[in-house]
Amino acid sequence: MHQSNPTDDVVRTVIRRTELLAALADQPQYKRDLVEALACSRSTIDRAIRELESLEFIARTEVGYQLTAGGRLALSEYRRVEQAFTAIEESGSLLRHVPAEAPLSTTLLDDARTYEVKPHAPIEPLQELVSRFETATRVRGFAAAERIPATRMRLYERTVEEDLTVEAIFTEDLAEFLFAEYPEQVRSSATEGAFDMYAIESIPYELTLIEQSDAQYVFVFVLNERTEIQGVISNDTRAAFEWGESVFREVRSAARSVSPPE
């Protein structure tokens, strides 16, 4: 016989009684107030209160029923999980192109902006990234292909002539291509500018971290099996940027440092 898991019972109760918990989030309420606020019968409110009292998520006081510390935490966690599932659902069309084992977090998706590639405008998702380069003080990331040659040229100019710092991880194929096609430019970037280069066999997606004097951005470019960009997820929250930094460090630790040919 299947035995009920106590934790499952708690989760089901919180899901079923979320509206009542939320109604008590700001201030205590009497039963009559909850009946009116939630448009429920008195018997429904009585039953909900008994369930939540048994979990010690609410307590009766002289000024009505109020959330306990446990109840407030339960409501907060439910809202966090609900927000995460909403973010996953909204990004689903892009996430289906990401390898299942790829490092991802709902932290990236919370408050993110997503763009999908349009057949008539394949580089449109890159435009925000290109504009951020102009005022960046530091750029880090990993890539599988050269997307916009003008961007490579601008990064070269800014690392050699200005104060931009770059750490770039290329796939082995991309590193070989850049070293063969642009040896002088790559060599100048490494010897005259603050441009550190690494190579790695493969990457799950392309990632770019951009730091400006007053802002920071993380961009994840979702690729198809031909390493073509399907879309981009961008985020400027501190939490998302810190997640991006942790992923970059992980990939860099698996990469090898490379130098342009003499």
Side-chain angles (χ1 to χ4, degrees), residues 39-50:
C40 293
S41 66
R42 178 60 179 258
S43 61
T44 298
I45 295 300
D46 286 341
R47 186 162 55 251
I49 285 176
R50 286 196 300 271

Side-chain angles (χ1 to χ4, degrees), residues 35-86:
V35 169
E36 182 177 351
L38 302 180
C40 293
S41 66
R42 178 60 179 258
S43 61
T44 298
I45 295 300
D46 286 341
R47 186 162 55 251
I49 285 176
R50 286 196 300 271
E51 291 176 0
L52 293 173
E53 279 187 311
S54 70
L55 296 174
E56 298 186 346
F57 285 168
I58 66 173
R60 185 178 180 178
T61 70
E62 293 180 355
V63 291
Y65 288 91
Q66 67 178 22
L67 292 182
T68 63
R72 194 168 297 280
L73 284 173
L75 178 61
S76 175
E77 284 302 297
Y78 173 80
R79 286 173 167 170
R80 182 185 63 79
V81 171
E82 184 180 44
Q83 182 179 358
F85 276 105
T86 298

Side-chain angles (χ1 to χ4, degrees), residues 174-187:
L174 179 56
E176 182 178 348
F177 167 79
L178 293 173
F179 289 172
E181 295 295 319
Y182 313 104
E184 292 297 329
Q185 194 177 90
V186 173
R187 185 160 48 249

